[in-house]
Amino acid sequence: MPPLPDPLPGARKDVTSFVGGALRAAIGDLDGDGKREIVLVDAKQLRVVDPSGHEIAAIPVTRGIQALVVADLDGDGRAEIVVGEGVTREHKETKAAFTVYRLEHRGLVEESVYAPDTPRQDVSAIVPMPDAGSVLLAYFDSKYNVASLIAKRTARGWAVSTVASIRMATSYARGDVDGDGIPDLVVGRTYGDASGTDGDAFVLAPGGRRIAIPSTRGLRSIAIADGDGDGRADVFMGDGWHQNYGEKARGLLTWARQVGSEFKTELVEDTAGQYAIEKIAPATVGGRLGLVTLGSSYVRVFQRPDDHWIGSTIAGPARDIAVGDLDGLPGDEILIVADKSEIVSLGGFTPGR
């Protein structure tokens, strides 16, 4: 790992006192008042706190939580908490399942969404689909295959419909990447169809057709955002993965845009000393689009002010990151969940300085 800048850039606030031993975090407006709350999950509790750390609601955690997303799924102006449950170090007997929590009267109301009958108790992804009033869920339905489905709340509870079952498809993102006004589903795989082969990325078109997105080996993460301001969403990939992560894997951040009927890719950065980029989060940085990446060794912020990307390292190893506007001022904040947890403001932040 390369040395971290001293001092680390950005206006920051130490929030270790209330983040504590949280393993996962997310940000969203859970009560519809226009202000965002922070959701924190550790081995014992799921908590909702305000940006100052005041606890609004909490519920015991009795199952392992592998995935956490906050989004307004039904368009009522109040975000919901969606968790994917599976085996964790703290909860080894957990069965794979997806659950929604809603904040009501300073308490959390739990809804069971889907609990698959599967031999492998691991979930892969949760992708909100607010335009359709639904959410995409992905989980391992066998040792290597990942099943994806769409869940939608109805008057009789949650209804699910199958999307696909794809070997080692562990990363998902959704957005209109071809400019036709219809959201596309983009899939990333850590490995290919045969054991030990490289993973790949593609748009999963109707009927199961795959539109290839060139990548380097396997993907650990994927996100969709308009990288060049042309009004069309682009694909960002944390690729470079290899099963021999000690020697061959690289933490690459790659940018893909559809040109005609094909995707063209370019390397944003080969992040030094990292074997993976585990999470990519679009963010507003200094009034412009930026990206925050959680890597295997550090957290980095990227922006493209001209015709090239620049980045700054803002934290060392972290368990998770969450991005959102926590102060009502221009620019997002990043919650960095680590041994020393911090909220870093991106309002006046300029990467590379």
Side-chain angles (χ1 to χ4, degrees), residues 125-136:
I126 300 169
V127 181
M129 301 172 58
D131 57 296
S134 54
V135 59
L136 182 137

Side-chain angles (χ1 to χ4, degrees), residues 125-204:
I126 300 169
V127 181
M129 301 172 58
D131 57 296
S134 54
V135 59
L136 182 137
L137 310 173
Y139 65 95
F140 277 88
D141 63 350
S142 68
K143 185 175 181 179
Y144 299 113
N145 274 19
V146 176
S148 54
L149 53 86
I150 293 173
K152 186 177 180 68
R153 186 189 283 116
T154 71
R156 298 182 178 180
W158 288 86
V160 299
S161 56
T162 299
V163 177
S165 181
I166 302 172
R167 191 180 194 276
M168 298 308 297
T170 55
S171 298
Y172 295 78
R174 186 172 178 270
D176 180 13
V177 298
D178 58 9
D180 66 355
I182 301 172
D184 304 291
L185 181 62
V186 183
V187 180
R189 302 198 295 168
T190 48
Y191 302 109
D193 290 324
S195 177
T197 58
D198 290 342
D200 55 6
F202 51 87
V203 175
L204 185 61

